[in-house]
Amino acid sequence: MRSLIRVYDAVVPGLAVVAGAMVASVFLAIVHDVALRSTGFHPPAWTSALTEYALLYMTMLGAPWLVRTRGHVFVDSIARRFGPALRQRVEAGVYGLCILICLVLSYYAIDQGLAAAARGEEDWRSIVMPRWVLFAAMPIGFIPCALEFLRFLLGPDSMYASGRSAGSL
Amino acid sequence: MEWYESGALIVGALIALIALSVPVAFAFLAVSIAGMLIFIGGEAGLQQIAVNATAAITRFVFLPIPLFVLMGELFFHTGLAVRVFDALDALFGRLPGRLSYVTVAGGTMFATLSGTSMGSTAMLGALLVPEMTRRGYKPHMAMGPILGAGGLAMIVPPSGLAVLLGSIARIDIGKLLIAGVLPGLFLALLYMATVFVQVRIDPAAAPRYDIPRVAWTTRLGLIAATLLPMGFVVFMVIGLILLGIATPTESAAFGVLGVLILAAAFRRLTRKAVLDSLTGTLRVTVMVLIIVLASSTFSQILAISGASRGLVQWVVGLEFPPLGVLMAMFLLLLLLGMLMDQVSMMLITVPIFFPLALTLGFDPIWFGIVVLLALEIGGVTPPFGLGLFVMLGVAPGGTTLGDVSRAVLPFVGCDVLLFFLMIAFPWIATYLPGLMG
């Protein structure tokens, strides 16, 4: 069990590293595309489709890491005023709700993905991709998110430990 | 259910969940799941959420968000920002209140090179607050201009928030970005005027001090070696869009390329700077895009329940003058700005406000800038203005949220003044986009 947890511990930042590599790849792909186009060469057809897919995948792959590092945006200015007991109950309720949401969405994304695969549905962009690839991103992100919320629910750490969420546009 | 009941239920439930500290993205998802069960019923609604979520962010128009953020992160992590600041510091000479002016000038410059406001605020705060405190500046003379100028990045291109607004409201992102140039510069001038007035009223708030005289040749050298090269990055973003050579998405990638080239030229491009920038970019991008993904069903529920159409028809039926409705929307945005972050309030209000604004005959680009202005104010109003917390993090010990809020008040006044100026002179926001045809 311990080794399984160790593997899982490495998977979450590993997914984030892949997501970070996608950010860099998107930048390189667009520069490559425009450079080819403006010098009279034909840019590859896959650039816009794959960069669009990358947006979904970088978001879903980075989401569990963001839960673990307490990076999701939340407003705790009201809940902070609750007494410790009520605060703890509200926190537990929040974690429970988030776990439920992650599992519901994962279930329906898998359901839709399997249905799309069975029907052989395709996603037509600048290139044609099987549609289930889009749905697959969601359980890959939301199931580890549910596990991260479960850790907050069962463990001693609080998602609100830093006092406020960090960063914005 | 009447439209106002369903509207109150949807928006009320969302705000209640956010107030109970549910992460914003998950609050949107919870309301979407409940809303679909109520208004569509059964599994079809839940399946639709999964379909919406996959389609919501796989759109080319969202690509500038990670790229503009990456541009700003590289700018800060490579030390280019400090270099720009040092040059500006030397250029301002012995002006009374010089450090406050340097703040506004630096903030404006950073805004043209960075797509996020928090980076600017944190950078200006960390650099300037200790120096201003050491020089005997009263806290409000340090914190006010920093918060005001830090927020300029929301309006001045490149702006990640403008890209998000343009894509949600389905308006021309290139034009919206360009439309932010003049209002941003107007705001910078208003901030400078505010500093001037504050120093005239209370000279002791920004005591004069001796600084070594910088020769004109040195100043010209600083402009040529440091500030002018930054123009290359500005050209890569704004110039390429204005010239029609690149779309906003492509120009964002070239903005990143521009910062990388400059950092390499100044020998500041390190592996650590690139990795730190990518980490920071991922954090902000995931945080924003997951809220967008989560909110993809929210506007659909507002439409299905009849709440958005009912509200528009009700407001139009009241026959209020359009300016009155505009004021009400602006006030509501300011109110929401006190309660939640900019991305969330944008996603809640845009599906309701934009159809209303178009029905009342407002120019969508002009209205977009009004919304961004309200968002900028929201970034520095308590209790959830993130800028306030960033500032508290770097302010001298003993500074309270109240101190920071009071310091920023005159600068919020400038934002409100610009709002009225834009009503009187709409060309402030529409002139440059008009040139794009």
Side-chain angles (χ1 to χ4, degrees), chain B residues 175 178-179 182-183 242 363 365-366 425-437:
Chain B
K175 285 186 176 176
I178 297 301
L182 286 182
L242 266 181
D363 180 285
I365 301 288
W366 177 88
F425 310 107
W427 59 263
I428 297 173
T430 55
Y431 175 69
L432 285 180
L435 295 180
M436 295 169 74

Side-chain angles (χ1 to χ4, degrees), chain B residues 21-244:
Chain B
S21 66
V22 175
V24 171
F26 292 87
F28 269 112
L29 287 170
V31 171
S32 298
I33 291 172
M36 278 300 193
L37 286 173
I38 295 170
F39 296 109
I40 289 191
E43 286 206 312
L46 298 177
Q47 288 164 346
Q48 187 59 40
I49 297 177
V51 174
N52 288 349
T54 55
I57 55 172
T58 48
R59 293 171 55 198
F60 204 63
V61 288
F62 284 126
L63 277 167
I65 291 176
L67 296 174
F68 281 161
V69 176
L70 179 59
M71 198 179 146
E73 292 281 339
L74 282 167
F75 181 62
F76 294 117
H77 285 293
T78 55
L80 285 182
V82 179
R83 202 183 159 91
V84 168
F85 170 76
D86 287 344
L88 287 172
D89 189 40
L91 289 174
F92 266 84
R94 299 179 173 192
L95 208 62
R98 63 186 293 279
L99 286 175
S100 298
Y101 288 112
V102 169
T103 305
V104 177
T108 311
M109 190 104 187
F110 293 173
T112 62
L113 297 162
S114 159
T116 58
S117 66
M118 287 309 124
S120 277
T121 307
M123 171 85 203
L124 289 166
L127 275 176
L128 285 158
V129 170
E131 176 68 2
M132 289 167 124
T133 310
R134 196 168 68 84
R135 296 293 185 186
Y137 275 56
K138 288 186 181 171
H140 71 272
M141 289 301 293
M143 296 186 294
I146 291 172
L147 282 168
L152 283 175
M154 289 184 209
I155 295 181
V156 176
S159 158
L161 268 186
V163 171
L164 190 58
L165 177 64
S167 40
I168 299 165
R170 311 244 170 203
I171 50 180
D172 188 317
I173 293 171
K175 285 186 176 176
L176 185 62
L177 284 169
I178 297 301
V181 173
L182 286 182
L185 292 178
F186 261 85
L187 262 187
L189 288 175
L190 288 173
Y191 291 163
M192 293 263 189
T194 304
V195 171
F196 177 79
V197 171
Q198 284 180 319
V199 174
R200 289 291 289 227
I201 292 172
D202 181 12
R208 281 172 186 258
Y209 58 93
D210 272 338
I211 52 160
R213 195 173 284 279
V214 181
W216 275 106
T217 47
T218 313
R219 290 185 191 198
L220 288 175
L222 281 171
I223 292 173
T226 302
L227 298 187
L228 282 182
M230 299 300 155
F232 167 64
V233 179
V234 177
F235 171 78
M236 293 286 250
V237 180
I238 303 176
L240 291 185
I241 298 176
L242 266 181
L243 292 172

